[in-house]
Amino acid sequence: MLAIEQYTRRLLKDFHPIVAANRAPVDLAPEAGESQRFVRGGGGLVTGLSGLAQATGAVWVASVRDGFEGELDLGEGGEPMLVETVDGARYQISWVNPPKLAYDLYYNTIANPLLWFVQHYLWNLAEAPVLDDSTHRAWNEGYRTVNQMFANQVVREARRSRKRPLVLTHDYHLYLVPRLVRRELPDAVLQHYVHIPWPTPQYWKVLPQYMREEIMDGLLAADIVGLQTSHDVRNFLLTCEENMGLPVDFRQQSAFYRGRTVWVRNYPISIDVREFERTASTPAVERAEREILRWRTEQLIYRVDRMDLSKNIVRGFYAYDRLLQAHSEWRGRVIFWAMLQKTRQNVPEYREYARQVLQAARAINARHGTTEWQPIRLELREDLNRAIAGYKQFDVLFVNPIYDGMNLVAKEGISVNRRGGMLVLSENAGTHEELGEWAITINPFDIDATAEALHRALLTDPVERHSRSEKMRTVVQQNDVARWISAQLQDIRDLVEPLAARQPEFVRESAFSRLADRQ
Ligand code: F6P
C-alpha cells in the first residue's frame, strides 16, 4: 500500500478525512480482557476501508457493538481512541455508543432484516415483510436515533480541525447521515458509499414512502454516491427519477436535487492483492495447507461465507446433491468444503437460515456418504489462515449468491489459488462484471444448471483451467484496492478543484473550524 498511501496523503493534505461506518475496523481478540487486545476486523467493508483509513490517518467513527461494552475505555469527551491491533495496524476510532435498545432497533430491526432484505431481494413478498407499528417505532427510535448520533460524532470530529472535512460515510446503516451532517457542515465534502446492491425502484416500494424518501434525501445530500457496479448506478439513477421525480443524467451519471448536482459513480471494491499474497505464504497458512492435503480428494469444491440468506448456501448444497445424483462418477472423488461463519444471530431469519444450512448438509451426507467419504465437509469457524489455505487448494470456487454487492471471496480466492482453480459464479454477484467472462456463470436459483456448471468446472482440462485462472488473476491484480481508493480520490479531486477555483477562500479558515488544528 505504500504508493497509494503517499498518493492519498498528497491528495488529501488539505482535508480532514473522517470515515463513518457501523463496524469498527477492529474486533476484540478472543482473549481480550483488561489488556484490550484487538485484531483486524473482517468483512468487505473493513477490508476495503482499512487501507484508506491508515493511509490518511482518518478518524473512523464506528459504533460500540455487542461484546465491546465494558471492554473499551471510551475516553473523555468522545476523544478518538488510538487502537493498535496485535499485528501492528493503528486506527483512530471515535466510538458512538447508542443505548442498547436504540442499537437493537437500528441494527436488528431496520438495517439487517429490512434494508438488507430490500437490497438483496430476499423476501417472498406474498408473506413478508409485514410492516406495522413496531417497524415505524424502530425507524423512529432506532434508525433515526443512531444515525443522528453518528452525525453528531462526525460533526464533533470535523470541528476539531481547521481543515475542510471530507466525510466518507458507508453502507445501509447510515443512509441518513449525509443529510444530517450537511445541515451542520454545509461546506464539507461528503461521499456515501453503498457496499450492497441497489435494487430497482419498484422493489424499493416495499418500504413506506416516508422511509424510502428519507433514505434518498439523506443520500442525495452527499456530493458523490458511490456504488459497486454500473448496474447499481443505473438502478440508483432510476430510483431518483421514478421514485423521487428528479431529473437525472445517465451519461454524466448525475442526479439533480435541491439545486445541487450529485455524482453517482461505481467503484468496484477489492482486496490488497500483495498483502493477501504475502499472507498466503506465511508458515501458518502453509501449516493449514498441509492439514488440508491429508484429507482432500482428487477434486475440491470450496466456499467461504457468512451464513447469510443472500449467499444462497442451501441451494448450493442442493445443486451439489444433484451433481452427485446425475454424475455418480464423482462420488468418493470430490469433497465440497464449506467454511461458514454464523452471523447476525439476533435476527430470527438468520437463526432459521443457519438451521436450514446445517440440516441440508447433514441430509446430503446421510444420503451419499460412506464410511470412507463424506461428500460435504462443513466447518463453522472464522480462521483467516485456514480460509486462505483453502483458497490455495480449491479446484472449484463456488460463489452462488442470490444477489451480492461485490463478493470479495471470489477475488481473494482467485488471487492466491495454486491449482488453476475454476470459478463458478452467480450472474448476480457484483464481481461478475469483472470476472464473468472467464468464470462459469450460473443462475443462482437454478439448481440443475448449477449442478451442470459444477460438473463442467470439475471436468475442464488443466490447460483451459490455468488459462482462465490466469486471466482472472490479472483482472484482480489490476483492479485491486489501491485502484478502488484512487478512483474515489480522483473523483473527489475533480469535484473539489472547480469549487476551490470559484471559492479560493475555502481552504482558509471557515466559520466552523475555530478549534485548533490538531494535525
Ligand atoms: O457491506 C456489507 C457488509 O457490511 C460487509 O462489509 C460485511 O461482509 C458484512 O456486511 C458484515 O455485516 P455485519 O457488520 O452485520 O456483520
Side-chain angles (χ1 to χ4, degrees):
M1 286 293 286
L2 263 185
I4 185 69
E5 278 185 22
Q6 283 163 7
Y7 174 76
T8 308
R9 279 208 189 96
R10 200 174 62 244
L11 219 67
L12 297 186
K13 69 179 173 10
D14 296 324
F15 286 102
H16 176 49
I18 300 165
V19 168
N22 180 59
R23 230 177 213 282
V26 297
D27 279 328
L28 290 173
E31 72 278 17
E34 279 171 27
S35 55
Q36 290 191 353
R37 282 161 64 81
F38 295 95
V39 289
R40 281 191 216 220
L45 182 147
V46 168
T47 307
L49 274 178
S50 292
L52 186 125
Q54 286 180 291
T56 57
V59 172
W60 188 308
V61 180
S63 57
V64 176
R65 302 194 318 273
D66 281 355
F68 275 63
E69 308 94 335
E71 299 288 348
L72 299 171
D73 172 6
L74 294 174
E76 290 295 307
E79 289 270 327
M81 172 177 163
L82 182 66
V83 175
E84 189 162 349
T85 60
V86 283
D87 63 348
R90 288 155 75 89
Y91 301 97
Q92 291 200 70
I93 304 180
S94 175
W95 298 101
V96 176
N97 193 11
K100 225 175 161 28
L101 176 62
Y103 187 83
D104 183 54
L105 296 173
Y106 148 89
Y107 186 79
N108 293 319
T109 304
I110 300 295
N112 288 321
L114 200 64
L115 299 178
W116 182 274
F117 273 52
V118 173
Q119 294 196 236
H120 292 85
Y121 301 90
L122 287 180
W123 285 303
N124 168 5
L125 286 182
E127 291 173 8
V130 177
L131 307 177
D132 60 14
D133 267 10
S134 64
T135 325
H136 301 294
R137 180 170 158 248
W139 182 265
N140 236 334
E141 296 170 24
Y143 197 72
R144 282 185 181 148
T145 305
V146 177
N147 272 252
Q148 185 66 63
M149 291 181 76
F150 263 88
N152 295 348
Q153 197 94 331
V154 166
V155 171
R156 241 193 322 271
E157 271 315 311
R159 288 180 172 155
R160 286 181 206 277
S161 170
R162 284 166 186 269
K163 291 182 181 175
R164 185 179 191 182
L166 168 64
V167 181
L168 304 167
T169 47
H170 283 264
D171 237 348
Y172 56 103
H173 311 90
L174 304 182
Y175 284 151
L176 311 185
V177 173
R179 169 68 55 211
L180 299 169
V181 171
R182 177 70 76 205
R183 274 187 202 139
E184 298 297 317
L185 308 175
D187 296 326
V189 177
L190 306 184
Q191 191 221 55
H192 188 95
Y193 188 86
V194 183
H195 292 250
I196 62 177
W198 194 269
T200 61
Q202 293 79 8
Y203 203 70
W204 274 110
K205 289 194 173 171
V206 176
L207 292 192
Q209 188 173 354
Y210 79 91
M211 280 188 200
R212 52 181 207 252
E213 288 191 1
E214 209 170 319
I215 289 171
M216 295 307 285
D217 179 67
L219 284 173
L220 291 168
D223 297 288
I224 304 177
V225 175
L227 297 140
Q228 297 277 18
T229 67
S230 59
H231 191 73
D232 296 321
V233 167
R234 200 176 150 69
N235 275 345
F236 188 88
L237 291 171
L238 283 170
T239 309
C240 293
E241 190 173 57
E242 291 181 21
N243 291 2
M244 300 286 287
L246 301 181
V248 295
D249 184 330
F250 286 91
R251 256 168 30 101
Q252 301 285 332
Q253 300 190 310
S254 300
F256 307 96
Y257 184 57
R258 294 203 192 179
R260 294 175 55 255
T261 301
V262 182
W263 292 2
V264 184
R265 300 286 147 87
N266 67 303
Y267 311 104
I269 199 166
S270 194
I271 57 166
D272 185 341
V273 175
R274 261 212 249 139
E275 173 66 16
F276 215 74
E277 281 168 350
R278 198 193 55 72
T279 313
S281 357
T282 53
V285 171
E286 284 168 359
R287 249 193 321 277
E289 225 182 326
R290 284 195 293 278
E291 192 276 329
I292 295 165
L293 288 173
R294 284 203 282 276
W295 55 259
R296 62 157 296 153
T297 40
E298 181 191 326
Q299 301 248 23
L300 183 61
I301 300 175
Y302 184 47
R303 79 175 304 148
V304 184
D305 278 306
R306 291 183 303 108
M307 276 201 267
D308 195 292
L309 290 79
S310 67
K311 302 295 179 185
N312 205 20
I313 300 165
V314 175
R315 274 199 203 88
F317 285 152
Y318 291 161
Y320 179 61
D321 184 33
R322 290 292 166 101
L323 171 82
L324 297 175
Q325 282 168 24
H327 302 283
S328 56
E329 67 272 24
W330 290 117
R331 294 186 190 176
R333 291 170 55 205
V334 64
I335 285 180
F336 181 170
W337 178 19
M339 184 146 148
L340 307 176
Q341 299 87 45
K342 283 201 171 170
T343 183
R344 304 177 185 167
Q345 289 299 291
N346 289 332
V347 179
E349 287 89 339
Y350 280 79
R351 286 201 298 276
E352 170 57 18
Y353 192 64
R355 197 190 59 73
Q356 289 174 17
V357 167
L358 303 189
Q359 194 183 43
R362 264 189 230 117
I364 293 166
N365 278 343
R367 186 169 316 131
H368 302 285
T370 62
T371 42
E372 286 84 47
W373 172 72
Q374 287 291 286
I376 296 178
R377 182 185 179 95
L378 182 64
E379 291 185 16
L380 296 187
R381 65 201 282 184
E382 190 148 13
D383 179 342
L384 183 64
N385 291 327
R386 190 165 175 78
I388 297 178
Y391 288 150
K392 289 169 83 178
Q393 278 294 323
F394 71 77
D395 296 282
V396 178
L397 184 63
F398 190 28
V399 178
N400 69 324
I402 290 172
Y403 285 94
D404 210 339
M406 178 50 56
N407 197 290
L408 291 184
V409 164
K411 294 189 174 183
E412 290 172 350
I414 289 303
S415 71
V416 296
N417 181 258
R418 303 284 196 261
R419 294 175 61 91
M422 295 285 281
L423 176 62
V424 170
L425 180 62
S426 163
E427 60 186 337
N428 298 334
T431 190
H432 193 267
E433 243 177 43
E434 290 166 276
L435 300 179
E437 196 177 337
W438 301 284
I440 297 189
T441 297
I442 52 164
N443 169 325
F445 308 100
D446 185 338
I447 58 172
D448 285 336
T450 303
E452 283 313 305
L454 288 171
H455 181 56
R456 209 182 121 202
L458 292 169
L459 277 184
T460 306
D461 73 79
V463 176
E464 187 179 340
R465 278 170 61 146
H466 280 276
S467 142
R468 284 176 183 247
S469 166
E470 258 325 295
K471 285 182 177 128
M472 289 192 281
R473 195 187 332 274
T474 307
V475 173
V476 176
Q477 279 165 349
Q478 281 167 355
N479 296 352
D480 87 341
V481 74
R483 181 173 284 197
W484 181 69
I485 294 172
S486 64
Q488 293 174 70
L489 295 181
Q490 272 163 29
D491 278 351
I492 289 167
R493 191 196 53 194
D494 291 349
L495 176 94
V496 168
E497 269 174 4
L499 279 180
R502 266 182 279 135
Q503 302 170 299
E505 76 281 7
F506 197 87
V507 281
R508 288 190 243 122
E509 190 170 359
S510 59
F512 55 77
S513 55
R514 287 185 202 95
L515 298 173
D517 185 357
R518 73 195 152 85
Q519 297 192 347

